[in-house]
Amino acid sequence: DVTLVESGGDSVQAGGSLTLSCTTTELTFDDVDMAWFRQTSEIECELVSTISTIKTSYADSVKGRFTTSQDHIKNTMYLQMSNLKPEDTGRYYCATAYGDWGCHSQGTQVTVSS
């Protein structure tokens, strides 16, 4: 299994912004499908966004507010989150197609207060 490390989680007020990061030293992110998932009080494990060499996709609940990107030099994937809502509160996980797909890594906590 690939060990992924997420960071950037914090407590913010509704309407605020955060950027999460995901990195690993065990593989390069070039040409591998990756994703962000989250675990909330309502959903055990929700697919938030995927990124591949062809396209990036988003769950309807975050479309227009979240942006996923990669920095291949830093070997880091980002999730830029804006206009955060209380329902975005949860633990966010990154995943790679070379490892466990879902909410399996350590994650990073995002708390949005109203």
Side-chain angles (χ1 to χ4, degrees), residues 38 40 43 46-49 58-66 82-85 87-88 92:
R38 68 184 179 186
T40 69
I43 303 175
E46 177 186 16
L47 178 61
V48 174
S49 174
Y58 302 93
D60 288 342
S61 58
V62 306
K63 199 170 294 183
R65 301 186 298 120
F66 290 11
S82 62
N83 192 22
L84 283 162
K85 304 176 180 181
E87 50 263 42
D88 294 318
Y92 286 70

Side-chain angles (χ1 to χ4, degrees), residues 20-109:
L20 306 183
S21 301
C22 168
T23 190
T24 181
T25 60
E26 299 179 14
L27 58 80
T28 59
F29 290 168
D30 298 345
D31 301 324
V32 59
D33 292 356
M34 298 193 67
W36 286 100
F37 291 85
R38 68 184 179 186
Q39 187 175 49
T40 69
S41 60
E42 299 292 327
I43 303 175
E44 184 173 345
C45 191
E46 177 186 16
L47 178 61
V48 174
S49 174
T50 61
I51 184 168
S52 70
T53 56
I54 300 174
K55 68 176 181 179
T56 305
S57 64
Y58 302 93
D60 288 342
S61 58
V62 306
K63 199 170 294 183
R65 301 186 298 120
F66 290 11
T67 302
T68 294
S69 61
Q70 290 177 320
D71 183 328
H72 294 287
I73 295 175
K74 295 182 179 179
N75 204 43
T76 301
M77 178 175 68
Y78 301 98
L79 181 66
Q80 296 171 278
M81 307 184 293
S82 62
N83 192 22
L84 283 162
K85 304 176 180 181
E87 50 263 42
D88 294 318
T89 294
R91 195 159 190 88
Y92 286 70
Y93 304 82
C94 61
T96 168
Y98 289 163
D100 292 327
W101 193 253
C103 300
H104 300 290
S105 52
Q106 69 174 21
T108 187
Q109 180 67 31

